[in-house]
Amino acid sequence: MAPTIPLLILAIPLTMFLVLGLLGPKMSHKFAGWLGVCGMGTTLVLAYYTAFTYFFSGSTDFIAGADRLQYIVFNQDWLQFYDKLVIRLGFLLDPISALMLVVITTISFCVHLYSLGYMEGEKGFQRYYAFLQLFSFSMLGLVVATNIFQMYIFWELVGASSYLLIGFYYTRHSAVAASKKAFIVTRFADLGFLIGILILSYYTGTFNFTDLTSAPAAGGLAYQINEVTAFGAFSSFEGATFMGCSLFSLALILIFMGGMGKSAMMPLHIWLPDAMEGPTPVSALIHAATMVVAGVYLVARLFPLYILDDCTALTFITVVGAITAFYAAVVACTQVDIKRVLAFSTISQIAFMMVALGVARPDIHDGMGYMAGMFHMFTHAMFKALLFLGAGALIHAVHSNDYTAMGGLHKYMPITHITFLIGCLAIAGIPPFSGFFSKDEILTAAYQNHFFWGAWMSMVAALTAFYMFRLYYRIFWWNEPDYSSHHHHPHDAPWVMTLPLVFLALVSCVAGFIPFGEFVTWNGEPYHIHLDMGVAIPSVVIAVCAIALATVMYKKENPLPDKVAAATGGLWTAAYHRFYWDEIYMFVTHKIIFNLICRPIAWFDRHIIDGSMDGMAWVAQRLSISIRPLQSGNVQYYVWVYLAGVLLLGAAAAVCILL
């Protein structure tokens, strides 16, 4: 494949960012918006062409027999430390990067088009579109990286651009606080990521993914996942340990730490719910479909190394993912802000993907968990973007994020109602919607690994169906409030907002029937998906029961939800307050770190260090004042001082001689 089209996939968003950022204030809102849409639409077409060529062209550069290959379109030297350690900037095309090209450009284009209506008349409209382009460029650069250091560079660009988008409403204190919170939390995680990269590269002598996990195929630029190569990277550590822990395992866990930050895994999850302070389309782009799956993508990219680690790192990933999934699902059951419900839903679903990767083993259906996690990443991107954009249409109609200000909207917003319902059915895992197929594969992989993991994730799936239909009924069927205070009754959004909803709803209806295992597996070998009825039927029954419970409690106004909340005692209150994680962080940072550690250090610096320096300066100053008269310019005074000095020296010499 010629590098022209891949280069354009990266160059167009970057160029649009520069044009809109520098010249945007001189453009009209309409022109700037459509320029951004056209730019991303062009990128979408090129990305689709590239992915289609990779999957269906049959070129020997991309496929060998039935196995999918990795193909380096271009790889340019950037920084060279020594002969073997070089940082390059390139474009790697393989099953997961081709998949992410489709996901990122699809969601980004839908958000660009949707924003024409949602952000109409907003101050900083041109700036908004410039930031969208920067984020899209950063995310595209991340997923096509040929080496882990290039990924880290774009990883940080993603963090910077998300900071700009979350804090778009910079006049609001809450938005500024949310953007800072997201930036700081993810920076701590990225520090672990960087340390892990340095450890891995120090022992293996390379940053390149192909050198770590692959071997050259027939073509000079084509590679194939190779367990021998991965084992060579593992062997380069030669049993190195740190405090009794395998240094190889530690490096992989530290690398995963970066993924924990980006994907909002506990205990680094606190930034994501607050990030909903940004515009709702931003939530759909960053926090539903692209940025938050970066951690999943990172683990998937290095998966051949993770499976060699005696399952230490993968077990750690499984435990973190399982705890996070359950925690986020419980919290989502109590929230009243529709964007926060979807935010905690995102945390839970991303954790689903992490668990899928964590339970994957080559000896368990050829690593089915890997394929299931990638499948769910694709389907989740579509239906979660649909739900977020649907939430934006609702907020646009009633001017509130709180579902208590909504109700009975199925009569006023039929298109939004139907598309939102499709999104709810998809995430609940109801056939034939896409979420059923991907979630079923994850549950099957979890049960195959251990019954406990399967049962645990089935419980999380039940909670997912419950809280999503709790949200659905409260918005569309609960007794409607008085809408007479609005200038007009709620109604469906303009076509630029409804068109993305309809498109994403259609994709959520049919995406589950894609033979995903034929295209994306951990080693490139095709995997034929077969529904495990022993898992599928119980999971559907559990989801239907959860939906039925939500129907009884929330379809019409009744006292049952309040009774249940009261019966749970402080549990509901604790879940509503996110189990006080924010308060815990505030206590640790302010009371312990700031007051008990930083303040004494500041006092020591100010009074001891600075005091010592100030004291020495004071002494020097007083001495200079005291000896200043010696330089009076009076010759007679100098003579007398000279004579006095001679006499003193003479007296001292005489005393010494006599003694």
Side-chain angles (χ1 to χ4, degrees):
M1 173 182 285
T4 305
I5 291 178
L7 273 172
L8 287 174
I9 292 173
L10 298 175
I12 291 174
L14 179 60
T15 303
M16 288 294 103
F17 162 67
L18 295 173
V19 170
L20 290 169
L22 297 174
L23 304 178
K26 301 182 183 299
M27 304 176 185
S28 66
H29 284 201
K30 188 174 183 179
F31 181 81
W34 278 108
L35 182 62
V37 171
C38 291
M40 187 49 58
T42 305
T43 307
L44 171 76
V45 172
L46 297 176
Y48 273 46
Y49 173 81
T50 302
F52 185 88
T53 302
Y54 176 80
F55 284 121
F56 300 108
S57 69
S59 171
T60 54
D61 289 334
F62 307 139
I63 192 168
D67 298 346
R68 302 283 175 185
L69 303 177
Q70 297 176 317
Y71 182 77
I72 298 179
V73 180
F74 63 88
N75 205 20
Q76 200 66 34
D77 289 358
W78 182 43
L79 295 175
Q80 184 163 352
F81 296 96
Y82 59 90
D83 293 341
K84 294 183 178 180
L85 194 58
V86 183
I87 297 175
R88 297 183 174 91
L89 297 178
F91 194 106
L92 176 63
L93 196 57
D94 72 344
I96 56 173
S97 65
L99 167 69
M100 290 303 295
L101 286 177
V102 172
V103 170
I104 294 168
T105 54
T106 300
I107 304 303
S108 185
F109 177 75
C110 289
V111 167
H112 275 74
L113 183 61
Y114 181 94
S115 298
L116 290 175
Y118 189 89
M119 299 296 291
E120 185 179 8
E122 288 280 0
K123 183 180 179 182
F125 187 86
Q126 300 94 327
R127 172 169 54 89
Y128 170 81
Y129 270 89
F131 292 165
L132 285 183
Q133 294 286 339
L134 176 63
F135 178 85
S136 300
F137 162 74
S138 304
M139 199 65 207
L140 289 168
L142 188 155
V143 299
V144 301
T146 58
N147 60 84
I148 196 168
F149 210 94
Q150 179 187 344
M151 177 183 280
Y152 181 77
I153 293 169
F154 282 96
W155 188 279
E156 295 300 327
L157 275 176
V158 168
S161 54
S162 64
Y163 167 81
L164 297 172
L165 285 168
I166 296 168
F168 175 77
Y169 297 120
Y170 60 87
T171 56
R172 299 180 187 173
H173 175 74
S174 58
V176 174
S179 62
K180 291 191 294 184
K181 189 177 189 178
F183 191 81
I184 293 170
V185 172
T186 53
R187 291 295 72 70
F188 275 105
D190 294 350
L191 176 61
F193 185 17
L194 179 59
I195 295 172
I197 291 173
L198 296 176
I199 295 173
L200 185 65
S201 63
Y202 176 79
Y203 282 94
T204 61
T206 183
F207 293 116
N208 298 329
F209 292 126
T210 52
D211 293 339
L212 291 169
T213 62
S214 310
L221 298 175
Y223 294 81
Q224 188 169 13
I225 296 294
N226 187 281
E227 295 181 51
V228 176
T229 304
F231 186 78
F234 169 73
S235 301
S236 64
F237 282 77
E238 298 179 350
T241 60
F242 178 76
M243 298 181 66
C245 177
S246 166
L247 207 55
F248 184 71
S249 301
L250 182 62
L252 294 179
I253 291 173
L254 285 171
I255 289 172
F256 171 66
M257 184 177 172
M260 289 175 63
K262 279 287 189 290
S263 295
M265 297 291 100
M266 291 182 67
L268 302 175
H269 66 285
I270 60 170
W271 67 271
L272 185 60
D274 290 348
M276 299 301 111
E277 292 292 338
T280 302
V282 170
S283 302
L285 178 63
I286 299 180
H287 309 296
T290 51
M291 175 181 169
V292 291
V293 300
V296 180
Y297 181 85
L298 172 63
V299 176
R301 174 59 71 197
L302 294 174
F303 188 75
L305 296 181
Y306 277 94
I307 60 176
L308 294 174
D309 182 39
D310 295 329
C311 302
T312 302
L314 286 180
T315 301
F316 179 78
I317 292 170
T318 304
V319 172
V320 170
I323 294 173
T324 303
F326 179 74
Y327 160 82
V330 170
V331 174
C333 291
T334 64
Q335 301 301 300
V336 297
D337 186 309
I338 59 176
K339 290 178 67 175
R340 291 191 183 273
V341 173
L342 295 178
F344 280 102
S345 171
T346 296
I347 296 174
S348 184
Q349 295 301 302
I350 297 299
F352 249 96
M353 303 171 205
M354 287 294 189
V355 170
L357 292 173
V359 300
R361 302 289 186 276
D363 57 333
I364 302 177
H365 291 286
D366 297 321
M368 180 178 64
Y370 177 98
M371 182 277 300
M374 297 299 100
F375 193 12
H376 198 60
M377 183 170 67
F378 174 73
T379 60
H380 173 262
M382 302 303 163
F383 61 68
K384 184 53 63 71
L386 167 63
L387 290 168
F388 263 111
L389 295 183
L394 295 166
I395 296 168
H396 189 264
V398 300
H399 307 290
S400 176
N401 293 14
D402 196 327
Y403 68 44
T404 59
M406 307 175 189
L409 289 177
H410 70 283
K411 297 183 295 184
Y412 303 105
M413 305 176 70
I415 298 176
T416 306
H417 168 231
I418 297 299
T419 54
F420 199 91
L421 176 60
I422 290 172
C424 290
L425 290 168
I427 195 173
I430 302 299
F433 301 98
S434 60
F436 161 74
F437 296 93
S438 57
K439 191 171 290 185
D440 178 76
E441 295 301 310
I442 292 177
L443 293 177
T444 301
Y447 276 111
Q448 290 290 336
N449 184 280
H450 198 282
F451 178 82
F452 174 80
W453 296 125
W456 183 274
M457 299 313 293
S458 295
M459 176 178 60
V460 175
L463 289 172
T464 302
F466 174 78
Y467 69 67
M468 285 308 306
F469 275 84
R470 167 183 178 265
L471 180 66
Y472 164 74
Y473 284 123
R474 285 301 305 254
I475 293 172
F476 293 103
W477 292 95
W478 194 268
N479 289 7
E480 67 179 78
D482 183 13
Y483 291 121
S484 60
S485 58
H486 297 265
H487 297 295
H488 50 77
H489 281 290
H491 58 83
D492 278 316
W495 73 269
V496 291
M497 295 174 65
T498 55
L499 183 60
L501 295 179
V502 173
F503 171 76
L504 291 170
L506 291 174
V507 174
S508 298
C509 290
V510 302
F513 297 98
I514 298 173
F516 198 84
E518 304 291 331
F519 302 106
V520 181
T521 56
W522 77 274
N523 58 0
E525 299 177 4
Y527 178 84
H528 303 286
I529 296 176
H530 300 286
L531 286 178
D532 187 340
M533 292 302 173
V535 175
I537 293 175
S539 68
V540 173
V541 171
I542 291 172
V544 170
C545 291
I547 293 171
L549 179 61
T551 305
V552 171
M553 293 181 64
Y554 297 103
K555 186 174 182 182
K556 292 185 178 180
E557 189 171 355
N558 66 88
L560 188 57
D562 292 333
K563 291 181 179 178
V564 172
T568 57
L571 180 61
W572 190 94
T573 303
Y576 178 77
H577 290 95
R578 316 177 201 177
F579 291 98
Y580 304 101
W581 271 100
D582 285 88
E583 287 78 6
I584 293 171
Y585 269 95
M586 292 297 290
F587 176 81
V588 170
T589 54
H590 285 72
K591 300 294 185 182
I592 297 178
I593 297 177
F594 292 168
N595 289 348
L596 298 182
I597 300 175
C598 295
R599 186 168 291 178
I601 293 173
W603 183 91
F604 183 84
D605 179 69
R606 187 178 300 110
H607 293 87
I608 304 302
I609 305 299
D610 288 354
S612 299
M613 296 299 104
D614 293 343
M616 293 172 64
W618 182 85
V619 170
Q621 184 184 34
R622 300 311 302 176
L623 286 174
S624 68
I625 293 172
S626 63
I627 64 175
R628 190 182 301 166
L630 296 177
Q631 299 293 326
S632 63
N634 190 328
V635 178
Q636 292 89 341
Y637 180 76
Y638 293 162
V639 172
W640 283 112
V641 171
Y642 175 77
L643 290 175
V646 170
L647 290 173
L648 287 173
L649 289 174
V655 170
C656 291
I657 292 171
L658 292 173
L659 292 177

